[in-house]
Amino acid sequence: MKLGRWLELAGIFVVLPVLLAMFSHYSLRYLMPLLAVVGLLCLLYLLHDKQFKRKRLWRIKGASAHVLNAIKLFLPLAMVITLLVYWFLPDNFLDLPQQHTQLWLTTIFIYPLISVLPQELIFRSFFFHRYKPIVPDKQHRWWLSSGVFALAHAVYGNWLAVIGSVFAYLLFGYRYIQSKSTLVVALEHSLWGCFAFTVGLGGFFLSQSLN
């Protein structure tokens, strides 16, 4: 059983992302629909698994404290990142909202729904629950999931998407462990994602399906 689950993990979180990255010219346009389908399948699995605590999906107990901590971390880091983009990527700075306002507004509106929620269901809720039997240590699952999350972003074909996703996942994974709430992590993920699209980093993470 453990071997089968390891093979499943490798197939979903290693082989599939590698194939998507290898054929990114074609796969990027279908990335959002694929993400939505996989996210829905993960949700259905979790809802039908009696061992999964459903309240982890929407837990609001203590949520205000976790959200406040997320904002406290976001504000200073966002200021630093904004300055770095302004200095080192001046052509990218505020490019999306200024040059492609309609695309920016569309992205900000649909990104939390069609991208963040599926990612959180797949890489947080599903991954932490499904592979607990083969990776019982929560910290090890945290690090392993960070690696596969970064690999999934290789489809965008740039180092910033991969490296940035490692740090992002370490943060989101930590928040999930602390809050035990997919909702809380989705809010933090949405905050950072919308900021990235606004400040000038969206091009590194933007799927062709939004163009």
Side-chain angles (χ1 to χ4, degrees):
M1 179 178 177
K2 287 188 176 182
L3 176 60
R5 193 146 310 186
W6 274 113
L7 292 174
E8 174 191 294
L9 188 157
I12 298 175
F13 293 97
V14 178
V15 176
L16 180 58
V18 169
L19 290 175
L20 291 175
M22 290 175 60
F23 300 99
S24 60
H25 179 72
Y26 302 99
S27 61
L28 271 176
R29 69 183 66 226
Y30 303 109
L31 189 59
M32 290 299 103
L34 177 61
L35 190 63
V37 170
V38 176
L40 179 59
L41 291 175
C42 289
L43 176 61
L44 292 176
Y45 165 79
L46 293 171
L47 292 177
H48 284 81
D49 188 341
K50 295 181 179 180
Q51 294 183 337
F52 177 71
K53 299 177 181 178
R54 295 186 179 184
K55 62 182 179 181
R56 283 181 175 266
L57 295 173
W58 54 76
R59 182 194 296 269
I60 59 174
K61 182 180 180 180
S64 58
H66 293 294
V67 171
L68 181 60
N69 288 335
I71 294 175
K72 288 180 179 178
L73 180 64
F74 170 79
L75 290 176
L77 288 180
M79 291 177 63
V80 172
I81 293 173
T82 299
L83 291 175
L84 290 175
V85 174
Y86 178 77
W87 286 333
F88 295 106
L89 297 170
D91 292 337
N92 291 48
F93 185 67
L94 300 179
D95 174 67
L96 199 59
Q98 291 184 343
Q99 304 298 327
H100 307 280
T101 306
Q102 184 176 354
L103 175 60
W104 173 67
L105 290 173
T106 302
T107 302
I108 294 300
F109 178 74
I110 68 175
Y111 171 73
L113 298 175
I114 70 170
S115 182
V116 171
L117 282 178
Q119 286 185 63
E120 293 307 323
L121 288 169
I122 297 167
F123 292 98
R124 242 70 63 184
S125 305
F126 176 81
F127 192 98
F128 271 77
H129 174 71
R130 177 67 175 169
Y131 303 114
K132 183 177 180 179
I134 58 175
V135 189
D137 188 291
K138 191 179 298 184
Q139 302 301 319
H140 292 165
R141 264 178 288 149
W142 179 28
W143 285 100
L144 178 60
S145 56
S146 298
V148 298
F149 186 69
L151 181 61
H153 284 71
V155 68
Y156 293 109
N158 65 84
W159 63 269
L160 186 60
V162 175
I163 295 177
S165 63
V166 171
F167 290 102
Y169 191 92
L170 288 172
L171 172 60
F172 303 150
Y174 170 81
R175 193 73 63 197
Y176 182 71
I177 292 173
Q178 295 298 312
S179 67
K180 299 179 181 179
S181 172
T182 304
L183 176 61
V184 168
V185 185
L187 291 173
E188 185 172 26
H189 190 161
S190 298
L191 178 64
W192 277 105
C194 291
F195 164 73
F197 286 120
T198 301
V199 77
L201 299 176
F204 296 98
F205 300 90
L206 194 59
S207 168
Q208 290 180 358
S209 63
L210 293 178
N211 283 290

